[in-house]
Amino acid sequence: MDATKRRMKILDMFQSQNTLKISFISKKLNVSRETIRGDLSVLQDQGKVTLIRGGAILIVSKDETPYEKRLDFMVAEKNEIAESFCNCIKEGDTIYLDFGTTSLFVAQKLHRFKKLTVVTNSLPIINELYKDDNVALFVLGGRARKNEGSFVGEIAHEYLDSLNINIGFFSGGGFDTKVGLSNFSIDESKLSRIFVKKCLKVAVGVDHSKFNQIYTQNVASIEDIDILISDTIDRKIYKKLEDKIPEVISRK
């Protein structure tokens, strides 16, 4: 794992708790404490964490959620993935946009379409699309998760039976060639798994830093995925996936 990918992984680990010990990170990532100490020093210089004795604290301002902080990561890559997904959409489609910042990048590109139906439970996506007269927007509701700007819970689940969805876009914290797509949140992942089964076609979009990463909550298995979209995919990873996923889209 290169330094950039490792630091992204460290920042992802902070999403479940704002304070992490160097020893904990070192064990999870299977690298030395000195390496993690150096990574945290770089992240501190970038204004993302504050070093403390034996660990670090995530810097989150009162007006900025973890979701908003992730919007600044891998911006070019997320834009590229979003553009590729939009090329998979047809006028008149009903699409589902899952939780996550990459899905918001997709939403920002949907204004070009003349007729779409969008189903989502992401508040940032709702705010992006609700004024667009060409988008019929369906929101499931439920309990609000303020740190992620999403709605989860049984109300959202009950509404699903009446929906037919042409294509869904899913992203997450990690992607593995055996496990598939995985994420942190139990509630969000539970709803995502239901949508994976509801969509006629499932598209997963992850940037290159997410490969070979596994989190506790499975979202979509390899067998569930019809389209995999990334900015770049390592040749060895591509070889493992080309016979398992019908369509793999990347720059190289």
Side-chain angles (χ1 to χ4, degrees):
M1 186 187 306
D2 63 31
T4 299
K5 185 182 290 188
R6 190 174 59 249
R7 289 164 194 160
M8 286 291 297
K9 178 79 170 178
I10 292 170
L11 288 170
D12 284 342
M13 292 169 69
F14 273 108
Q15 304 312 313
S16 59
Q17 51 188 324
N18 281 350
T19 303
L20 291 174
K21 293 289 188 181
I22 290 174
S23 57
F24 174 80
I25 303 171
S26 173
K27 184 177 180 180
K28 284 288 186 182
L29 300 186
N30 195 28
V31 295
S32 70
R33 296 187 184 190
E34 287 302 316
T35 298
I36 297 303
R37 192 173 286 109
D39 287 335
L40 292 175
S41 179
V42 170
L43 292 174
Q44 178 173 254
D45 291 341
Q46 294 173 351
K48 294 179 171 56
V49 304
T50 298
L51 289 174
I52 59 174
R53 183 178 178 83
I57 300 172
L58 181 68
I59 297 174
V60 181
S61 72
K62 292 181 179 179
D63 298 322
E64 187 175 42
T65 66
Y67 179 97
E68 291 167 331
K69 291 185 77 71
R70 295 201 307 276
L71 285 173
D72 295 329
F73 296 136
M74 301 289 185
V75 172
E77 290 83 353
K78 290 173 182 176
N79 267 311
E80 186 175 345
I81 291 166
E83 186 65 37
S84 295
F85 176 70
C86 286
N87 292 334
C88 300
I89 300 171
K90 303 188 300 294
E91 291 285 354
D93 273 352
T94 296
I95 68 174
Y96 170 70
L97 295 183
D98 201 41
F99 313 102
T101 55
T102 308
S103 293
L104 178 59
F105 281 74
V106 171
Q108 291 167 347
K109 296 181 181 296
L110 295 183
H111 300 291
R112 73 181 71 169
F113 291 92
K114 301 301 181 184
K115 183 181 180 182
L116 282 179
T117 298
V118 175
V119 182
T120 190
N121 240 24
S122 166
L123 184 56
I125 293 174
I126 295 166
N127 288 335
E128 176 68 32
L129 296 177
Y130 80 98
K131 290 184 179 180
D132 191 327
D133 292 336
N134 295 324
V135 174
L137 186 62
F138 286 81
V139 181
L140 304 185
R143 174 174 57 83
R145 293 189 70 228
K146 294 182 180 180
N147 63 328
E148 290 294 309
S150 61
F151 298 96
V152 295
E154 295 305 319
I155 295 175
H157 298 176
E158 290 172 3
Y159 186 64
L160 283 169
D161 289 340
S162 63
L163 294 175
N164 294 309
I165 301 170
N166 299 104
I167 186 169
F169 180 85
F170 301 82
S171 193
F175 187 92
D176 180 80
T177 56
K178 293 181 179 179
V179 173
L181 183 67
S182 59
N183 216 343
F184 328 91
S185 168
I186 294 174
D187 288 334
E188 287 183 357
S189 297
K190 181 178 180 181
L191 187 58
S192 297
R193 286 192 295 270
I194 295 172
F195 267 109
V196 165
K197 301 304 180 186
K198 288 290 295 183
C199 294
L200 298 177
K201 188 176 289 188
V202 171
V204 167
V206 289
D207 67 68
H208 66 272
S209 71
K210 305 293 180 66
F211 287 99
N212 298 321
Q213 310 294 321
I214 300 175
Y215 288 91
T216 54
Q217 293 297 313
N218 178 258
V219 174
S221 67
I222 293 295
E223 294 74 22
D224 291 325
I225 302 169
D226 300 293
I227 305 170
L228 175 65
I229 306 170
S230 186
D231 53 313
T232 60
I233 301 177
D234 180 84
R235 185 168 182 81
K236 291 181 180 178
I237 295 175
Y238 184 89
K239 281 290 185 183
K240 292 179 181 179
L241 294 173
E242 62 179 346
D243 294 328
K244 297 180 180 179
I245 298 177
E247 187 174 2
V248 179
I249 302 171
S250 73
R251 194 181 333 120
K252 62 179 179 178

